[in-house]
Amino acid sequence: MSRLAEMKFGDSLKEIQLDPVDRITLIKYAGASGDYNPIHTIDEEAKKAGLPGIIAHGMWTMGNLAKLFTDFYEEGFIQDYKIRFKGMVFLNDIVTLQAELAEENENNLRFLVRAVNQNGNEVIKGDVSYQLYAS
């Protein structure tokens, strides 16, 4: 039996704390994603847009949520991923990724996922449908 299949309603995956958000990470993400909106890389442009400074790409934060399931790639795969952006991630923020089992239906597990900053504020929340391989 797999580790995920052994989980019970309300159990949580091990939290993952990301390194503090830094400018070089956002510049690299801009290049990799093709999202060159300057609010993500240039302080002056972010301030012109009414922000206190540059913000992380929402999709960078969302993509990081998949790290919660990396240890389980041999057991199944993310089948569906739905999120809602709740807040902004700024330079030097420390984001923690969390997932809690909310529903089990045969080989399909639904997890409530979220990312919170160092102040405990949600920046993303949603759910992940994880399909276990048939045993």
Side-chain angles (χ1 to χ4, degrees), residues 4-119:
L4 286 181
E6 295 168 355
M7 291 185 72
K8 304 288 184 234
F9 174 82
D11 286 349
S12 296
L13 296 179
K14 181 180 175 187
E15 290 185 350
I16 296 176
Q17 187 177 83
L18 302 177
D19 291 335
V21 177
D22 63 358
R23 187 180 307 271
I24 194 68
T25 297
L26 300 182
I27 290 169
K28 287 178 180 179
Y29 184 82
S33 68
D35 182 351
Y36 296 105
N37 187 325
I39 66 170
H40 301 303
T41 56
I42 303 171
D43 294 309
E44 297 77 24
E45 294 299 318
K47 289 178 182 170
K48 283 183 195 173
L51 299 167
I54 66 173
I55 61 172
H57 304 73
M59 297 303 286
W60 173 83
T61 310
M62 179 182 160
N64 274 299
L65 278 170
K67 290 179 179 180
L68 289 162
F69 299 91
T70 301
D71 289 342
F72 308 105
Y73 73 94
E74 292 180 338
E75 298 180 42
F77 58 93
I78 294 174
Q79 185 175 35
D80 196 15
Y81 200 161
K82 297 175 188 169
I83 63 100
R84 180 179 187 134
F85 298 105
K86 303 280 289 174
M88 291 182 244
V89 175
F90 297 95
L91 280 182
N92 301 313
D93 276 0
I94 299 171
V95 176
T96 301
L97 312 172
Q98 302 168 337
E100 177 184 312
L101 184 60
E103 185 179 338
E104 181 183 356
N105 185 4
E106 294 185 17
N107 285 341
N108 188 270
L109 307 175
R110 188 173 66 85
F111 290 88
L112 300 178
V113 295
R114 67 188 206 138
V116 298
N117 66 17
Q118 66 279 2
N119 300 316

